[in-house]
C-alpha cells in the first residue's frame, strides 16, 4: 500500500466534500506560510528521530509497533473532519462505523448479545467494566490475579472498591484453589480473568475461572486488552493454534476488554469494552442538555463514561477490518506469525548455553534471562540490565525490555537459581510484528553475543 498516494487521495476526497458547502474566506489568524512551516517541520521531524525503531524487527521490546498503513490513512482522513463519537450529532458517519466494529468484536468473541463501545485505552475500558461491577454488586470487592495489569488495583482505588490480588500458579496464571477459597468468603462480586498477561503473556483459564465464579454467584470480567485478538487462533491446526477452552469461555463471561491499539493494528487511542447484557446501559444514564439532538438512535456517549472521543479511531479500525477481517486468514494471520516467532525463539533459547527460558511462551511474549541456571538473582538482574543497555548501543542494535520477577516466581520455575535478593529483572520480548518470524535467528544471535559479553 502506497501511503503517500492514499494520503494525497484523503486530502483530495475531504477537500471535494468540503467544496460542496460553498466558498468562504479563511481567517488570516491561523495562516502559516510554507517557508515558515518547512523550518518548523524540519526541527519537528528531527526531534521525532529520538525514538526507538518500533517498526523494525530488531525492536523486540515492549508492546509497540506502528499501525497498519490503512489505519493511518483511515485515521488521518477522518481526522481532517475531526468527528467526535460522543454523539451522533458530532460524528454520524464514524458513530455508525463504531457500532459496526464493536459488533464485529462481539462476534469475534462469540457474544450473542452485547452492549459496547470503543474507548481511548484498555485502562478506561477496564475502568468501565469495574464501574459496572461496582454498580451491580455494591459493597462487594473485585479480585484479579497478582499478574493482572497494575491499573486494576488503581481503578479499584478510583472507584472506592476493595481490590484483592490472587496468587498465581507456576505458569503465571490465576491460582484456582486460592480463587475458590477467596470467593467462598462472599466478599467478592466480580473476578477479573486476564487472557494474556502483560508481563508473561500467560492466559488465565477463563473457562475454569468462570466455573468457580458461577458456583459462588460471582461475575467474571475478562481483561483481554493484550491477548483478545488471539481468539482468532483458538482451535486452529498448526503450530500457532491455541487451546480453545479459555477463548470460547469468554462468550459466557459478563464483560471483556480488547485493545485494537495493541494487536488490532491501530494507532493509540483505541480500546474497547463489551458487556454481554445490554441492560447494564442503565448505569450510564445521564442528562446532557447540549447533545443528543440530531437522532433518536443510540448515541455512544449515552453508554460510555468518557465524553469526547476521536471518531477517527473508529474510522481507522473500520477501514482496517474491511481489509484484514477478524478471521484466522485475516488479522489472525498477523498474530499467527508473531506466535510462531515466539515458539521459534523459545526453541533456540532452550538449546542455548548462554540464555535460559523463564517459562514457555503462551502467546507472543518471550521471557528469558542470561547465564547458566546456577546463577544468582543479583547476577541475573545485573546481566539483564547490561544486555538491555548494550543492545541499544550496538551498530547492529537490538531493543529488548525487562520484566521484574519475584524470587518466589523464579524459584518455582528454576529452583537452582540462588535467591540472594527478593527478585530480579529478566529480559522480555514482545514479538508482535509478523516480520519477527523471519528475524528470530538474527535476534537470537545478537542477544546471545550480548549475553556472552555480559558473562565475561
Ligand atoms: C492485560 C492488559 N490490561 C490493560 C492494559 C492497559 O491498557 P492501556 O495501556 O491501553 O491503557 C494493558 C496494557 O498493556 C494490558 O496488557
Amino acid at each position: 500500500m502506497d501511503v503517500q498516494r492514499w494520503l494525497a487521495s484523503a486530502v483530495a476526497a475531504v477537500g471535494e466534500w468540503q467544496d460542496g458547502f460553498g466558498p468562504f474566506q479563511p481567517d488570516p489568524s491561523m495562516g502559516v506560510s510554507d517557508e515558515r512551516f518547512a523550518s518548523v517541520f524540519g526541527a519537528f521531524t528531527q526531534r521525532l528521530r529520538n525514538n526507538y525503531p518500533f517498526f523494525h524487527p530488531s525492536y523486540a521490546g515492549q508492546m509497540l509497533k506502528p499501525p497498519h498503513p490503512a489505519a493511518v490513512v483511515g485515521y488521518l482522513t477522518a481526522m481532517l473532519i475531526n468527528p467526535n463519537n460522543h454523539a451522533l450529532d458530532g460524528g454520524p458517519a464514524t458513530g455508525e462505523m463504531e457500532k459496526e466494529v464493536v459488533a464485529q468484536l462481539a462476534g469475534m468473541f462469540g457474544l450473542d448479545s452485547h452492549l459496547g463501545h470503543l474507548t481511548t485505552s484498555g485502562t478506561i475500558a477496564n475502568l468501565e467494566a469495574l464501574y459496572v461491577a461496582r454498580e451491580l454488586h455494591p459493597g462487594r470487592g473485585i479480585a484479579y490475579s497478582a499478574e493482572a495489569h497494575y491499573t486494576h488495583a488503581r481503578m479499584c482505588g478510583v472507584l472506592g472498591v476493595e481490590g484483592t490480588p490472587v496468587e498465581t500458579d507456576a505458569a503465571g496464571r490465576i491460582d484456582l484453589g486460592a480463587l475458590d477459597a477467596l470467593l467462598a468468603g462472599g466478599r467478592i462480586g466480580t473476578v477479573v480473568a486476564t487472557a494474556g498477561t502483560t508481563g508473561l503473556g500467560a492466559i488465565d483459564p477463563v473457562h475454569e475461572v468462570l466455573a468457580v465464579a458461577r458456583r459462588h454467584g460471582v461475575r467474571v470480567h475478562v481483561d483481554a486488552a493484550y491477548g483478545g485478538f488471539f481468539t482468532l487462533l483458538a482451535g486452529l491446526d498448526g503450530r500457532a493454534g491455541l487451546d480453545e477452552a479459555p477463548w470460547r469461555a469468554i462468550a459466557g463471561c459478563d464483560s471483556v476488554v480488547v485493545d485494537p491499539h495493541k494487536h488490532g493494528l491501530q494507532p493509540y487511542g483505541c480500546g474497547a469494552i463489551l458487556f454481554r447484557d445490554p441492560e447494564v446501559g442503565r448505569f450510564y444514564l445521564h442528562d446532557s442538555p447540549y447533545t443528543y439532538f440530531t437522532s433518536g438512535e443510540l448515541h455512544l456517549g449515552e453508554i460510555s463514561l468518557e465524553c469526547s472521543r476521536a471518531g477517527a479511531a473508529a474510522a481507522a479500525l473500520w477501514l482496517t477490518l474491511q481489509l484484514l477481517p477478524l478471521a484466522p486468514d485475516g488479522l489472525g494471520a498477523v498474530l499467527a506469525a508473531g506466535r510462531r516467532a515466539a515458539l521459534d525463539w523459545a526453541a533456540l533459547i532452550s538449546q542455548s548455553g548462554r540464555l535460559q527460558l523463564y517459562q514457555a511462551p503462551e502467546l507472543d511474549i518471550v521471557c528469558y534471562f542470561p547465564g547458566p541456571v546456577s546463577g544468582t538473582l543479583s547476577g541475573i538482574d545485573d546481566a539483564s540490565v547490561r544486555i538491555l543497555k548494550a543492545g541499544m548501543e550496538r551498530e547492529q542494535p537490538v531493543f529488548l525490555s525487562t520484566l521484574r520477577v519475584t524470587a518466589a516466581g523464579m524459584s518455582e520455575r528454576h529452583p537452582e537459581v540462588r535467591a540472594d535478593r527478593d527478585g530480579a529483572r529478566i529480559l522480555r520480548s514482545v514479538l508482535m510484528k509478523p516480520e519477527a518470524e523471519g528475524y528470530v535467528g538474527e535476534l537470537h544471535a545478537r542477544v546471545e553475543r550480548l549475553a556472552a559479553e555480559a558473562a565475561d
Side-chain angles (χ1 to χ4, degrees):
M1 217 189 114
D2 179 349
V3 181
Q4 282 194 357
R5 172 183 162 196
W6 291 109
L7 285 180
S9 299
V11 175
V14 174
E16 195 191 325
W17 173 74
Q18 289 173 334
D19 287 347
F21 294 92
F24 62 94
Q25 203 54 46
D27 191 86
S29 61
M30 292 191 294
V32 172
S33 73
D34 280 331
E35 292 72 29
R36 171 102 183 93
F37 186 79
S39 80
V40 176
F41 190 66
F44 166 71
T45 50
Q46 200 55 38
R47 287 192 66 166
L48 283 182
R49 296 178 78 98
N50 178 23
N51 251 312
Y52 301 106
F54 308 125
F55 71 98
H56 197 279
S58 64
Y59 182 86
Q62 305 274 26
M63 246 171 238
L64 275 160
K65 65 175 179 180
H68 191 280
V72 173
V73 175
Y75 197 100
L76 287 171
T77 310
M79 199 189 64
L80 292 171
I81 302 167
N82 205 20
N84 183 337
N85 271 17
H86 167 67
L88 292 168
D89 326 323
T94 51
E96 290 307 327
M97 287 181 195
E98 179 164 332
K99 289 179 189 173
E100 285 173 38
V101 293
V102 166
Q104 289 169 36
L105 293 172
M108 175 177 80
F109 290 117
L111 295 171
D112 47 19
S113 62
H114 73 274
L115 184 84
H117 58 88
L118 300 180
T119 61
T120 50
S121 68
T123 300
I124 296 299
N126 278 317
L127 170 66
E128 300 223 5
L130 302 193
Y131 162 69
V132 166
R134 184 190 73 179
E135 298 304 295
L136 281 168
H137 285 310
R140 285 165 73 183
I142 291 168
Y144 38 78
S145 96
E147 292 278 345
H149 197 262
Y150 75 90
T151 48
H152 290 288
R154 170 178 284 185
M155 289 309 173
C156 281
V158 169
L159 291 166
V161 172
E162 189 185 359
T164 306
V166 180
E167 64 192 73
T168 50
D169 64 16
R173 305 169 188 155
I174 196 164
D175 186 287
L176 293 168
L179 180 67
D180 195 24
L182 175 69
L183 300 192
R187 282 190 301 115
I188 304 295
T190 296
V191 55
V192 177
T194 304
T197 59
T198 317
L200 297 168
I203 305 162
D204 281 348
V206 180
H207 50 303
E208 291 171 294
V209 170
L210 187 60
V212 172
R214 291 297 189 240
R215 235 183 8 251
H216 295 286
V218 167
R219 300 174 67 256
V220 179
H221 165 61
V222 182
D223 179 1
Y226 150 65
F229 289 104
F230 282 97
T231 301
L232 299 171
L233 307 185
L236 289 193
D237 292 336
R239 288 198 308 136
L242 297 171
D243 174 19
E244 277 189 291
W247 305 100
R248 299 287 173 247
I250 293 175
C253 295
D254 298 287
S255 51
V256 56
V257 158
V258 60
D259 267 4
H261 70 199
K262 292 189 170 61
H263 267 299
L265 310 177
Q266 298 307 295
Y268 283 115
C270 198
I273 170 71
L274 305 168
F275 295 98
R276 192 161 58 93
D277 178 7
E279 290 297 311
V280 301
R282 68 186 184 279
F283 298 122
Y284 289 91
L285 272 182
H286 61 277
D287 185 27
S288 172
Y290 15 76
T291 51
Y292 313 142
F293 51 85
T294 54
S295 168
E297 286 192 30
L298 178 75
H299 299 264
L300 291 158
E302 292 179 292
I303 54 157
S304 58
L305 290 182
E306 291 175 275
C307 180
S308 296
R309 267 192 309 104
L317 183 56
W318 187 90
L319 191 58
T320 308
L321 295 186
Q322 294 293 308
L323 299 159
L324 289 162
L326 296 175
D329 57 353
L331 182 61
V334 180
L335 280 93
R339 164 111 182 95
R340 287 192 300 266
L343 294 174
D344 289 345
W345 198 3
L348 289 172
I349 293 172
S350 303
Q351 290 152 24
S352 163
R354 297 277 178 202
L355 298 169
Q356 307 291 335
L357 205 52
Y358 182 67
Q359 69 173 49
E362 289 198 59
L363 295 173
D364 61 2
I365 298 179
V366 187
C367 294
Y368 47 99
F369 56 93
V373 187
S374 57
T376 58
L377 284 178
S378 53
I380 288 168
D381 186 86
D382 181 60
S384 297
V385 172
R386 277 195 286 142
I387 289 172
L388 179 86
K389 288 201 179 122
M392 292 190 277
E393 287 159 5
R394 287 300 138 99
E395 202 171 311
Q396 290 192 312
V398 58
F399 302 86
L400 311 171
S401 71
T402 58
L403 172 70
R404 217 174 42 243
V405 298
T406 61
M410 179 64 90
S411 94
E412 271 181 320
R413 294 161 177 87
H414 300 283
E416 307 88 339
V417 172
R418 195 156 61 76
D420 59 346
R421 47 186 281 181
D422 62 358
R425 282 165 290 182
I426 61 169
L427 294 164
R428 167 175 168 271
S429 289
V430 186
L431 302 181
M432 69 191 311
K433 290 182 289 282
E435 292 80 10
E437 194 177 6
Y439 205 77
V440 153
E442 179 64 31
L443 270 180
H444 181 67
R446 288 186 193 185
V447 178
E448 263 207 326
R449 269 199 299 279
L450 290 162
E453 287 168 25
D456 289 344

